[in-house]
DNA sequence: AATCATAGCAACCGCGTCTCT
DNA sequence: AAGAGACGCGGTTGCTATGAT
């Protein structure tokens, strides 16, 4: 491994290719090139002797850092967060595609944002399952947020239409909001309507299997902020399947205070073992 | 104040796809 | 039509800043 890296570095030296952080002077050269010829012919930058960088590296630098319309140094807003979450559910890890819906964000931005988020989720889940964590030790790769298809109501076209008609009007707390799938039109073609509030499951939502609801909620925007999602969920009452209730409680789908789900015993230690691997987007129908 | 853990970001790599000749 | 080079994408790595202990 180390040997391979050393050899690669040696090869690069032979080819006189520079790597690593960009200097201001290099940026200037690149910007001038784009001003003259536009964002293309990346490899000619090196062949003309303007920079010792590969065309690939030049393109990346331009796309991710030098492009004039970038929102550099700005954290993702709640709206952007919702957008990413929903589009990731729709498209999977198609970061470039998702980035087209976000003004001033690059695929790298989206990818980094998502990966940070996944790490946080993983850590929080791991923490909640810590007492017997050795049993369900999985990598973050398995921690994709479930697609919102996961929630059956998303497929209810009538509800979708109703939601579309009601647009993004403020909904009184406690009233069910049915999310509408994002229309597959990039930002430059159609103003994007951000994913709506998602405080509760619909009343007709079927009983949940162990672990499902918790995981589904992890996909909600800002779930991780504000004391583990309390702000997002409020004191929402959620139906729980009988199998998930404490023994001796009613058989009916009683509502359970969300706070009780945040006890030390939650989520169940075998949470991850309950989750099927997600289908790839191409298999979603 | 020093050390460690974590988050966030920038950049690289491999590979698939596109375009040009 | 086929091959070569350019381009674009997703995954991964490494560095730095920041916060916690």
């Amino acid at each position: 491994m180390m040997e391979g890296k050393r050899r690669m570095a040696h090869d690069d030296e032979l080819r006189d290719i520079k790597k690593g952080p960009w200097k201001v002077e290099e940026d200037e050269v690149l910007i001038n090139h784009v001003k003259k010829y536009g964002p293309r012919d990346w490899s000619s930058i090196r062949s003309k002797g303007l920079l010792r960088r590969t065309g690939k590296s030049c393109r990346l630098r331009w796309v991710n850092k030098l492009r004039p319309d970038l929102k550099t140094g700005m954290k993702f807003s709640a709206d952007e967060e919702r957008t990413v979450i929903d589009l990731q559910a729709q498209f999977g890890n198609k970061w470039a595609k998702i980035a087209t819906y976000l003004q001033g964000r690059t695929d790298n931005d989206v990818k980094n944002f998502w990966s940070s988020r996944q790490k946080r989720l993983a850590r929080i889940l791991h923490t909640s399952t810590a007492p017997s964590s050795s049993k369900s030790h999985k990598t973050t790769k398995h921690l994709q947020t479930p697609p919102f298809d996961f929630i059956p109501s998303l497929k209810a076209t009538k509800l979708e239409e109703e939601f579309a008609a009601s647009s993004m009007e403020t909904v009184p707390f406690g009233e069910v909001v049915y999310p509408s799938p994002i229309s597959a039109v990039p930002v430059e073609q159609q103003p994007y309507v951000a994913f709506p509030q998602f405080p509760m499951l619909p009343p007709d939502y079927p009983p949940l299997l162990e672990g499902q609801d918790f995981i589904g909620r992890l996909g909600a925007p800002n779930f991780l902020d504000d004391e583990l999602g309390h702000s997002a969920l409020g004191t929402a009452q959620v139906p729980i399947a009988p199998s998930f209730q404490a023994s001796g409680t009613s058989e009916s789908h009683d509502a359970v205070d969300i706070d009780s789900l945040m006890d030390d015993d939650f989520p169940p230690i075998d949470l991850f073992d309950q989750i099927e691997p997600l289908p790839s987007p191409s298999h979603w129908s």
Side-chain angles (χ1 to χ4, degrees):
Chain A
M1 181 68 180
M2 211 49 222
E3 182 59 34
K5 275 198 170 177
R6 212 173 290 134
R7 190 182 303 121
M8 276 163 61
H10 180 64
D11 290 347
D12 288 341
E13 264 178 46
L14 287 179
R15 280 175 280 158
D16 199 28
I17 290 171
K18 186 165 182 292
K19 290 181 185 175
W22 280 66
K23 293 203 173 72
V24 179
E25 308 90 81
E26 292 179 300
D27 282 346
E28 284 170 359
V29 172
L30 184 52
I31 290 168
N32 284 334
H33 180 271
V34 174
K35 274 182 187 167
K36 273 188 189 172
Y37 306 105
R40 64 179 80 86
D41 295 334
W42 301 113
S43 39
S44 73
I45 296 174
R46 198 170 101 79
S47 59
K48 285 175 184 167
L50 297 173
L51 288 174
R52 289 163 50 206
R53 301 272 183 177
T54 63
K56 213 172 183 175
S57 178
C58 292
R59 179 192 152 271
L60 205 65
R61 180 66 180 172
W62 173 259
V63 168
N64 287 336
K65 288 303 294 179
L66 301 179
R67 247 170 53 193
D69 58 330
L70 295 177
K71 287 182 183 173
T72 40
M74 288 175 65
K75 282 190 73 175
F76 272 60
S77 67
D79 271 356
E80 287 176 315
E81 215 169 309
R82 286 189 207 101
T83 305
V84 173
I85 291 163
D86 189 49
L87 292 176
Q88 201 280 341
Q90 271 195 54
F91 302 134
N93 297 359
K94 300 292 176 190
W95 308 123
K97 184 167 188 172
I98 293 171
T100 63
Y101 291 77
L102 297 162
Q103 196 78 54
R105 300 294 188 188
T106 69
D107 55 350
N108 219 26
D109 290 338
V110 177
K111 191 165 54 181
N112 284 335
F113 163 76
W114 188 259
S115 129
S116 296
R117 191 170 172 281
Q118 292 304 90
K119 280 182 196 165
R120 274 189 292 162
L121 289 176
R123 203 183 59 256
I124 286 169
L125 280 177
H126 190 262
T127 304
S128 359
T129 61
S132 49
S133 57
S134 60
K135 194 177 174 187
S136 55
H137 190 73
K138 301 254 171 96
T139 71
T140 54
K141 279 195 170 181
H142 296 92
L143 277 171
Q144 292 192 13
T145 303
F148 283 127
D149 265 11
F150 192 69
I151 299 163
S153 65
L154 276 178
K155 289 184 173 170
T157 24
K158 184 156 181 289
L159 293 173
E160 285 170 20
E161 285 165 13
E162 283 173 10
F163 174 77
S166 67
S167 182
M168 288 292 288
E169 287 170 14
T170 307
V171 179
F173 181 77
E175 194 165 316
V176 175
V177 180
Y178 298 96
S180 169
I182 300 302
S183 63
V185 181
V187 71
E188 63 268 18
Q189 290 168 32
Q190 180 185 315
Y192 172 66
V193 179
F195 198 80
Q197 294 172 265
F198 190 51
M200 295 177 68
L201 297 174
D204 59 343
Y205 188 58
L208 298 160
L209 299 175
E210 207 168 300
Q212 272 190 333
D213 185 55
F214 184 82
I215 291 299
R217 269 145 215 286
L218 290 175
N222 296 330
F223 179 89
L224 300 168
D225 301 334
D226 307 321
E227 299 173 19
L228 259 179
H230 279 65
S231 72
L233 298 174
T235 51
Q237 304 280 300
V238 290
I240 301 294
S243 65
F244 193 45
Q245 293 172 348
S247 58
T249 57
S250 159
E251 286 288 301
S252 67
H253 300 164
D254 289 344
V256 172
D257 193 304
I258 199 71
D259 285 332
S260 69
L261 300 181
M262 297 301 171
D263 290 348
D264 288 344
D265 293 340
F266 193 86
I269 55 172
D270 289 327
L271 182 92
F272 286 116
D273 298 334
Q274 307 294 328
I275 304 170
E276 292 294 323
L278 291 164
S280 74
S282 59
H283 290 94
W284 302 347
S285 53

